[in-house]
Amino acid sequence: MSRIPPLSAMATAMAAAFVLSACNKPAEAPVESTSAEPAAAQPDHTFDPAITAGDFAAHVQMLSSDAFAGRAPGSIGEEKTVAYLVDQFKRLGLQPGNGDSYLQTVPMVETTADPSTVLTVTVDGKPRELAYGTQMMVGTRSGKPQVQIDGSELVFVGYGVNAPELGWNDYAGIDVKGKTVVMFVNDPGFHTQDAGLFEGNRMTYYGRWTYKYEEAARQGAAAALIIHDTEGASYGWDVVENSWSGPQFDLPAADDPEPRLPAQGWITGDTARTLLGDLGHDLDDLYKAANTPGFKPIALDATLSLDLESTTTEKSSQNVLARLPGSERPDEAVIYMGHWDHLGDHGHEGEAAAGDDSIYNGAIDNATGIAGILEIAEAFVAQEPAPERSVLFLAVTLEESGLLGSKYYVAHPSVPLDKTVAVINLDAMPVIGPTRDMTVVGLGNSELEDVLKQVADGQGRVLHAEATPESGFYFRSDHFNFAKAGVPALYAKGGEELVDGGVDAGQAAHLDYRDNRYHKPADEFDPAWNMDGVVEDLQALYGVGEVLAGGEQWPNWYEGNAFRAARDGMMAPEPAAE
């Protein structure tokens, strides 16, 4: 810990002003009961008011323990997680963040596809059955227990992008109503490394699989299949299989303005290459064609049939919110947020098959982010003087299901969006040791980066963009829903240049996590982690909020940013009455 310089005089002020026992006083507002006992979720740990590695580790170890069963929404893992978070917010003396409640109920539909589902592609009158899991993954967001598609014509639509402002339309000249569209992941230009298309190697929202399904639904397709490749998706097929198997969650259609397909899914690259080859198309040639301006969709001489049976249940999950009221301007708030959910237990009734580990503990993703929020909350509680603006701590659900908890909050905010100063997102914090840099995902977006730079300068660290902008991480975490609505959002964490080992060691550590632990049962707490760096990251993110909550500035998106118009519109003064 000696290598972590103090951010300011904060720690001294904390020690002088804060009495730990005060944090143990119960909040005045009652807390909704759950079947999980909050007391059972309390770690046997005495918390310090400062941001420390020991406190951070205690939270992560608890939240990612097998007892929390992978924190799946709608499970016993959710009950224990929510109870733990409410208990911790009460311990800190924070007020409920949603009126008189610490909880915000998020309606959801749980859908589990039958893993015996077979997808049939008919070529030259010969049916080819694609196996669930090994060759394809498919599901429905329709909420219907049965989806039948019979003889739907296949159409290859390049990257499935309709971007009129860029003069690009992969659906030009063809009607795909009732048909099945097949497409690549990522943006035009990625696979050919053409820097002149879209934003070059940096993924835009058009490259995300969520957009591609939305656009296919707008076009009236019956189904959409994305051809997987590891580089384009930024993860292997095992991540697709793990993420799409088991219960899948959605907001009810009435609470989600985005269009939906009857069926959507992925096929492996090898499967696509074989099928397309049998149809007389070389996959590599299709990559070239799809990356050529003026590309026109290609009707494939094949049909798709599917009888998809699913179990569906209407349930609800919980966002968890707590508030530290501001001393001067309590109606204005800075939000710290992260998602508490993960992939749950894929074993039968909680038991692993053949001795395999079936629990997706989600230690990095995202017990680290939630632990970070709790540590930052404790620092704000101890801060003297108290922040002038309110600080809201928001732990959202259903991130792994498409950022649904944050989408619901943005549609039903407890702090009006025009009173929300900024959002600071914590997701998958690195625990690889101190770094000389900080990664700002989507660097170049907002004036929040100017505030972070001042703090990072004080730590002797530099800011840079993510190493793999083609991965589209800016669109893969909950801050994105706030950004789309116009609220300035910052997603930053430890970088790649390790103090001990340099860039090569840092990149190797990040790749090791991506390849061996991300969305796998191996994402477990490890007491050997070097948490000195994450403590420094949390101090930096706390410092950004300390500045914003203690002042009057309203950071905005940089000029030319796509989200600035929404922010300017919500902040515009009301016209004077005549």
Side-chain angles (χ1 to χ4, degrees), residues 102-142:
Y102 288 97
L103 308 181
Q104 180 184 52
T105 299
V106 179
M108 69 177 185
V109 177
E110 179 185 287
T111 303
T112 305
D114 185 343
S116 66
T117 295
V118 174
L119 186 153
T120 302
V121 177
T122 300
V123 179
D124 289 336
K126 299 177 181 179
R128 316 280 183 88
E129 293 187 348
L130 305 187
Y132 185 92
T134 56
Q135 293 179 298
M136 65 84 186
M137 294 299 298
V138 67
T140 182
R141 296 185 61 212
S142 67

Side-chain angles (χ1 to χ4, degrees), residues 327-513:
S327 61
E328 301 293 334
R329 295 179 299 283
D331 60 324
E332 301 170 1
V334 176
I335 297 179
Y336 284 90
M337 70 170 306
H339 72 93
W340 60 255
D341 64 305
H342 198 57
L343 302 180
D345 185 347
H346 288 207
H348 177 65
E349 295 182 353
E351 296 181 2
D356 291 336
D357 185 357
S358 65
I359 298 177
Y360 290 68
N361 300 84
I364 299 294
D365 184 15
N366 183 38
T368 58
I370 296 301
I373 289 173
L374 292 171
E375 281 296 277
I376 290 171
E378 194 143 15
F380 270 106
V381 168
Q383 180 182 305
E384 289 290 346
E388 297 178 7
R389 286 166 161 159
S390 295
V391 186
L392 184 73
F393 303 98
L394 171 61
V396 297
T397 184
L398 294 166
E399 187 269 356
E400 302 290 5
S401 302
L403 317 182
L404 302 181
S406 57
K407 176 185 282 191
Y408 189 83
Y409 174 87
V410 168
H412 308 276
S414 63
V415 177
L417 299 184
D418 63 353
K419 294 293 185 181
T420 301
V421 179
V423 171
I424 300 170
N425 183 33
L426 284 73
D427 193 357
M429 304 298 289
V431 285
I432 59 176
T435 59
R436 303 184 189 279
D437 53 355
M438 284 195 77
T439 295
V440 178
V441 180
L443 184 70
N445 276 321
S446 85
E447 295 165 356
L448 292 172
E449 297 164 21
D450 302 333
V451 182
L452 178 61
K453 183 179 184 305
Q454 293 177 357
V455 177
D457 286 346
Q459 294 182 327
R461 304 168 82 192
V462 297
L463 307 183
H464 63 67
E466 65 270 37
T468 57
E470 67 274 15
S471 300
F473 287 116
Y474 195 79
F475 314 110
R476 290 166 58 176
S477 193
D478 289 294
H479 64 278
F480 183 55
N481 283 316
F482 287 87
K484 285 196 295 185
V487 179
L490 178 67
Y491 179 24
K493 49 188 169 181
E496 294 192 331
E497 186 179 352
L498 286 170
V499 172
D500 296 327
V503 173
D504 289 344
Q507 289 179 343
H510 286 295
L511 288 173
D512 178 69
Y513 166 70

Side-chain angles (χ1 to χ4, degrees), residues 217-231:
R218 280 189 285 269
Q219 298 287 337
L225 296 175
I226 295 175
I227 299 171
H228 173 266
D229 73 277
T230 296
E231 291 73 23

